[in-house]
Amino acid sequence: PTERVVAIMELLASQPTRGFTLAEISRELGISRATGHAIMSTLAGRHWVVRAATGAYTWGPGIASLSQPAGELRYHGVLQ
């Protein structure tokens, strides 16, 4: 299941100015609509994706928060 989540996020990132419908995502990645819907619902609930009135999904504001370390979790040379 994790591979499919990553594949969806990479698909959305491949054309950031374009939205993808659930049908397009499912077809492009070869996953069922039910699986796609479950994944997109979870991603939307976390604001990693947003769904436009047209039904097309794009990256959401939640994904940007992942690139910014928070508070004491900032890099302190632990990964050297």
Side-chain angles (χ1 to χ4, degrees), residues 3-26 28-29 31 36 39-45 47-52 54-64:
E3 288 285 329
R4 292 176 281 190
V5 173
V6 171
I8 287 171
M9 296 307 291
E10 288 178 338
L11 176 64
L12 297 179
S14 72
Q15 297 182 54
T17 59
R18 176 181 185 263
F20 290 84
T21 65
L22 179 57
E24 291 170 325
I25 292 167
S26 297
E28 182 73 26
L29 300 178
I31 61 176
I39 292 170
M40 298 312 287
S41 293
T42 299
L43 293 174
H47 305 287
W48 284 22
V49 299
V50 291
R51 186 172 184 244
T54 62
Y57 291 92
T58 59
W59 272 23
I63 199 72

